[in-house]
Amino acid sequence: MLFKLQPRPQPSQRMVWLSPLLAIALMLLVGMVIFTLLGQSPLKAFHAFFIEPINDMYGLGELLIKASPLALIALGLSVGFRANVWNIGAEGQLTIGAIAAGGVALWFYESDSAWVLPLMFMAGALGGMVWAAIPAVLRTRFHTSEILVSLMLVYVAQLLLSWLVHGPWRDPDGFGFPQSRQFTESAILPIMLEGTRTHAGIWLTLIALVMVFVFMRWSVVAFQMRVAGLAPRAADYAGFNAKRTIWIGLLTGGAAAGIAGMNEIAGPIGQLSMPLSPGYGFAAIIVAFVGRLHPIGILLASLLMALLYLGGESAQMQLALPAAVSGVFQGLLLFFLLATDVLIHFRLTPTWRSKA
Amino acid sequence: MNADTVILILVATITAGVPLIFAALGELVVEKSGVLNLGVEGMMIVGAISGFMVAAESGQLWLGVLAGAGAGMLMALIFAFITLTLMANQVATGLALTIFGIGLSAYMGQAYSSVALEGIKSLHIPLLSDLPVLGQLLFSYDPLVYLALLLFPLLVWFLYHSRGGLVLRAIGESPTSAHALGYPVIRIRYLAVLFGGAMAGIGGAYLSLAYTPLWSEGMTAGRGWIALALVVFATWRPGRVLLGAFLFGGVTIAQFHVQGLGVDIPSQFLSMLPYLATIAVLVLISRNAKTIRLNAPASLGQAFHREVH
């Protein structure tokens, strides 16, 4: 017996929400199989990967710390993705945002002004936007693919950071390690929950969540951008500004990634160092898709993705598996999501003879 | 700079371009069939580690190259199933393939980061390799370099002078018409994607077995993305892919020699050159909107289902 895909007359609304859940279930199933093949007990591995990291307050705090940048960047990217603007260089925008914010922190080293953090915030947002503006300019002026340009700029940003922490901004008392000085009190985000590392940056993510929700729900611009994504020619015909769509799509992602970069160095890291992020900028792309480009979905997906990161770290300590295993899970999750999405537009019907 | 240095630079340029030739010519075939696979970087790096592992375990370098090709094909098969059979968005699936590949390769390679391997040796051709100057410039390479250069005319012949190539290009331009004529659109796209995967895998294996015979995490360093950019730069023509690959090989090598000239630039800025050069050539090529629109396969990136048009 084989299956055939039959087009549905209308997209299935139920499958829109079911397919991410199906994808998660499949990912867990395949994950268990992989662990078994690696000679681990699946239950023990499952416990180490998904339960152990979050069974106390500190662990839950770590979950929030990781989910926060993922959700923030994914929210920014989702605005562009809805309009078919493919900014996949968020990792670079995060890096430049961190560099700009770190520059402010080092400039005001040992100052105790209350303005340092707000300035760092603005520098971070601006840094990310400037880096995202490059693909925006090239796309609107020269039709250059924003996918490739934004991605190339990731490597450029990381090399720039490498030069700064090895050279001009290196900590004079850091034994030659590639890192800047530890930021002083005024450049560090306050802790929100005693006994955890949760910092005030999480509020920024929640504010962004509300803003993106309102923007997508009630703004004409968001509607025009969505039309531009779904039917570019219809959007042209209706006179919607295509260039504005590209600019907004890229700058929102850039600003979000830049702020996320500032949060990382003013939060858990407390200095500029290499590497800044465990690939948040790329993982956020998966978060955006798994969350259906919808703010609430993104919130849930970011928690799941953060758990995959924590699980990877915990598996490293307890099962001697490399942390890279979380990248494998992330990829699998997106594969399964994309695969199950076929069920939104198609129905599986059994056929009794093969038809190629 | 004396003549010897110039020859050395030219030889290094050729070898630096080889992984790009494999990956970009493979992707060219994929895109000619109307499929856009952004997973080249992921396929390359999995090819690199698989090739290295098999070569290290078996002691057979050529088995490693085959393993690289096989691993790239397996990766491409995942992509093909999701985008061609299940008709998912090709951009998102390609990205997933790259993220998956980078994670998987780091996972596979953890035990191999300190393993030393004797790389693939250059081929000594009697008489020819001993020629002064020419011998070094043309006949001092390892077999994979010649394979890459052989791949080019074969591909030109296939694409433009064979029936299969004509069908492939027809499918890329209009899958609907090709389907109406009775050509198996999905099956041929599968074959194209698998070929692209094998080539990306070989390109990766060349890096870990010949170019720098070792394994280090993330060693492809964006070459898969540069290969994608090369296809655009070449406006989907094989000859210009070759030209572009050597151009980038030159840029990659230039950074090592600029420092030798006593120019005082931090190494990080020199390492940026290939990426900045990629952006520059993309801008130059896509500046004229018609260039891309007239040359890109018309159905590039669109899913195909025979009952939905």
Side-chain angles (χ1 to χ4, degrees):
Chain A
M1 187 177 95
L2 287 155
F3 287 98
K4 192 167 142 247
L5 289 168
Q6 246 185 342
R8 295 178 191 264
Q10 262 111 33
S12 151
Q13 279 311 308
R14 203 163 49 113
M15 280 317 298
V16 168
W17 291 105
L18 263 179
S19 91
L21 299 177
L22 205 58
I24 294 168
L26 281 167
M27 174 194 74
L28 291 176
L29 198 71
V30 170
M32 293 300 110
V33 172
I34 291 177
F35 281 133
T36 315
L37 290 176
L38 290 171
Q40 303 276 0
S41 127
L43 274 176
K44 198 177 130 199
F46 184 85
H47 189 270
F49 214 92
F50 295 106
I51 314 279
E52 188 74 30
I54 48 166
N55 62 3
D56 57 5
M57 272 311 278
Y58 180 81
L60 283 170
E62 291 301 295
L63 186 74
L64 287 179
I65 289 179
K66 288 215 159 29
S68 174
L70 288 169
L72 182 58
I73 302 169
L75 283 165
L77 292 179
S78 67
V79 173
F81 287 170
R82 278 176 172 238
N84 258 340
V85 177
W86 295 97
N87 171 13
I88 56 171
E91 186 76 9
Q93 290 139 23
L94 178 151
T95 307
I96 296 293
I99 289 174
V104 171
L106 294 171
W107 182 262
F108 291 104
Y109 190 69
E110 290 187 331
S111 132
D112 49 11
S113 159
W115 284 102
V116 175
L117 274 173
L119 269 177
M120 285 172 73
F121 170 82
M122 286 196 294
L126 267 175
M129 281 163 95
V130 165
W131 214 240
I134 302 169
V137 169
L138 299 182
R139 166 81 198 266
T140 48
R141 288 280 309 273
F142 305 113
H143 323 281
T144 316
S145 154
E146 76 278 15
I147 295 181
L148 291 167
V149 173
S150 63
L151 204 112
M152 288 293 141
L153 288 173
V154 173
Y155 294 95
V156 175
Q158 286 172 343
L159 286 162
L160 194 65
L161 174 68
S162 161
W163 170 66
L164 286 169
V165 295
H166 281 97
W169 291 0
R170 190 165 67 188
D171 182 358
D173 317 319
F175 306 106
F177 280 107
Q179 56 194 35
S180 76
R181 288 171 146 167
Q182 295 273 355
F183 298 159
T184 40
E185 197 66 35
S186 60
I188 298 286
L189 290 161
I191 295 288
M192 285 178 9
L193 283 167
E194 271 314 306
T196 67
R197 296 197 305 156
T198 46
H199 52 78
I202 290 166
W203 288 112
L204 295 173
T205 300
L206 291 174
I207 293 166
L209 190 85
V210 174
M211 277 167 63
V212 171
F213 190 86
V214 170
F215 172 77
M216 284 187 179
R217 195 74 188 259
W218 285 292
S219 87
V220 177
V221 175
F223 170 76
Q224 293 183 343
M225 285 176 73
R226 209 163 63 221
V227 175
L230 291 169
R233 284 165 72 185
D236 278 348
Y237 191 70
F240 299 162
N241 188 333
K243 283 187 177 173
R244 190 179 63 185
T245 297
I246 291 165
W247 273 103
I248 294 177
L250 274 156
L251 289 187
T252 328
I259 294 166
M262 173 260 174
N263 278 341
E264 284 308 290
I265 58 163
I269 305 178
Q271 64 187 153
L272 275 174
S273 63
M274 300 270 299
L276 268 180
S277 104
Y280 287 146
F282 293 112
I285 298 170
I286 303 179
V287 169
F289 278 111
V290 175
R292 287 269 166 262
L293 306 183
H294 184 286
I296 306 299
I298 286 174
L299 179 70
L300 296 172
S302 72
L303 289 167
L304 172 72
M305 194 61 89
L307 185 55
L308 288 181
Y309 269 118
L310 290 179
E313 287 170 15
S314 146
Q316 192 175 12
M317 286 186 274
Q318 299 198 23
L319 315 170
L321 292 170
V325 84
S326 59
V328 178
F329 274 100
Q330 289 173 9
L332 280 177
L333 179 65
L334 187 50
F335 282 149
F336 286 128
L337 179 85
L338 292 162
T340 47
D341 270 2
V342 71
L343 299 172
I344 296 172
H345 299 284
F346 291 84
R347 188 183 289 123
L348 272 183
T349 48
T351 53
W352 296 98
R353 54 204 184 83
S354 85
K355 273 202 283 190
Chain B
M1 271 222 215
N2 52 18
D4 282 353
T5 322
V6 173
I7 291 175
L8 275 179
I9 290 177
L10 285 171
V11 168
T13 296
I14 303 275
T15 49
V18 165
L20 292 173
I21 294 177
F22 280 118
L25 285 181
E27 178 66 15
L28 178 81
V29 171
V30 178
E31 292 192 19
K32 281 279 188 199
S33 79
V35 179
L36 177 66
N37 183 354
L38 294 183
V40 183
E41 179 83 4
M43 298 187 297
M44 257 182 121
I45 196 142
V46 171
I49 182 60
S50 308
F52 190 84
M53 277 168 79
V54 169
E57 295 300 331
S58 69
Q60 300 292 324
L61 290 164
W62 292 103
L63 218 55
V65 176
L66 279 179
M73 269 175 115
L74 279 176
M75 291 283 286
L77 187 63
I78 300 176
F79 175 87
F81 180 72
I82 296 175
T83 56
L84 301 176
T85 303
L86 302 179
M87 289 159 289
N89 179 316
Q90 292 174 10
V91 171
T93 311
L95 281 177
L97 192 68
T98 288
I99 294 173
F100 176 74
I102 290 171
L104 184 67
S105 65
Y107 177 65
M108 287 162 76
Q110 57 164 341
Y112 291 88
S113 52
S114 55
V115 176
L117 198 68
E118 279 221 12
I120 296 174
K121 289 271 170 291
S122 60
L123 201 61
H124 186 90
I125 308 165
L127 294 180
L128 289 179
S129 297
D130 301 326
L131 289 170
V133 183
L134 277 185
Q136 210 182 347
L137 207 53
L138 299 176
F139 305 108
S140 68
Y141 301 106
D142 60 82
L144 278 175
V145 178
Y146 301 117
L147 187 70
L149 296 174
L150 184 70
L151 183 67
F152 167 71
L154 282 177
L155 210 67
V156 172
W157 170 81
F158 169 77
L159 280 175
Y160 298 101
H161 304 278
S162 80
R163 215 185 123 202
L166 183 66
V167 172
L168 181 90
R169 286 183 294 133
I171 285 172
E173 293 300 341
S174 174
T176 323
S177 323
H179 175 72
L181 289 169
Y183 292 116
V185 173
I186 297 298
R187 195 181 309 167
I188 288 173
R189 283 188 170 177
Y190 254 95
L191 290 172
V193 170
L194 288 177
F195 174 79
M199 288 305 112
I202 293 179
Y206 180 80
L207 282 174
S208 65
L209 295 175
Y211 189 67
T212 47
L214 51 86
W215 164 253
S216 66
E217 245 182 70
M219 72 184 296
T220 43
R223 283 186 180 83
W225 295 104
I226 292 178
L228 277 159
L230 276 182
V231 178
V232 180
F233 161 78
T235 54
W236 293 269
R237 288 180 215 150
R240 293 176 66 170
V241 168
L242 211 58
L243 197 74
F246 290 138
L247 187 79
F248 276 93
V251 173
T252 313
I253 297 303
Q255 48 175 311
F256 301 116
H257 289 276
V258 168
Q259 281 172 308
L261 294 173
V263 183
D264 190 25
I265 302 175
S267 66
Q268 286 93 347
F269 286 92
L270 294 170
S271 305
M272 288 177 194
L273 285 176
Y275 309 114
L276 294 173
T278 305
I279 295 175
V281 297
L282 279 175
V283 169
L284 286 175
I285 288 296
S286 43
R287 209 180 35 201
N288 182 347
K290 284 202 193 98
T291 323
I292 299 288
R293 231 195 353 254
L294 294 177
N295 287 297
S299 76
L300 190 60
Q302 292 162 14
F304 175 80
H305 185 271
R306 51 206 175 106
E307 293 172 45
V308 190
H309 297 312

